[in-house]
Amino acid sequence: MLIVFKSDAAADVIMFGDVAKKLIAAIGKDPEAPKGIITVAQLPEAAARLRVLIEEEKARAAAQPEEDEAQARADGRTGIGAPVNFAQRAWPLLEMLEYSIKEAVPVVWGV
């Protein structure tokens, strides 16, 4: 299942449902609701929550031992084969939220 985030301030952001639901929950919305909205008043808090999530993910990645990196190279999980982390998946939505804050327009999904 795909979830499409829409805003008049940015291009659509399309995500697989499982990732999108995690992000929806992270910004304080119901991930099981078929439709949702981040109102203009809620945008700053939602963006702040995503920024915190991204920074936490970056800190975890920086704390990973070099052995994990060496193992990833040995397993062929580097370059194009490297897994995409949660922070990388959250970034397009954060960017949409920031554009929406500047334009004072809501973000919706499931519509």
Side-chain angles (χ1 to χ4, degrees), residues 17-95:
D18 58 336
V19 173
K21 286 181 178 185
K22 288 178 185 175
L23 291 171
I24 291 167
I27 60 174
K29 296 292 185 171
D30 179 7
E32 298 306 319
K35 296 179 182 179
I37 184 169
I38 305 168
T39 64
V40 174
Q42 295 168 333
L43 285 169
E45 181 182 347
R49 286 179 176 215
L50 280 186
R51 277 190 212 97
V52 167
L53 237 166
I54 289 169
E55 290 306 315
E56 288 172 352
E57 179 77 22
K58 286 181 182 179
R60 271 194 299 276
Q64 291 291 326
E66 289 184 22
E67 296 84 39
D68 286 353
E69 193 173 313
Q71 185 62 46
R73 279 194 299 275
D75 293 343
R77 294 181 293 128
T78 60
I80 194 83
V84 178
N85 67 37
F86 196 66
Q88 291 168 312
R89 294 182 190 276
W91 193 257
L93 182 57
L94 175 59
E95 192 171 63

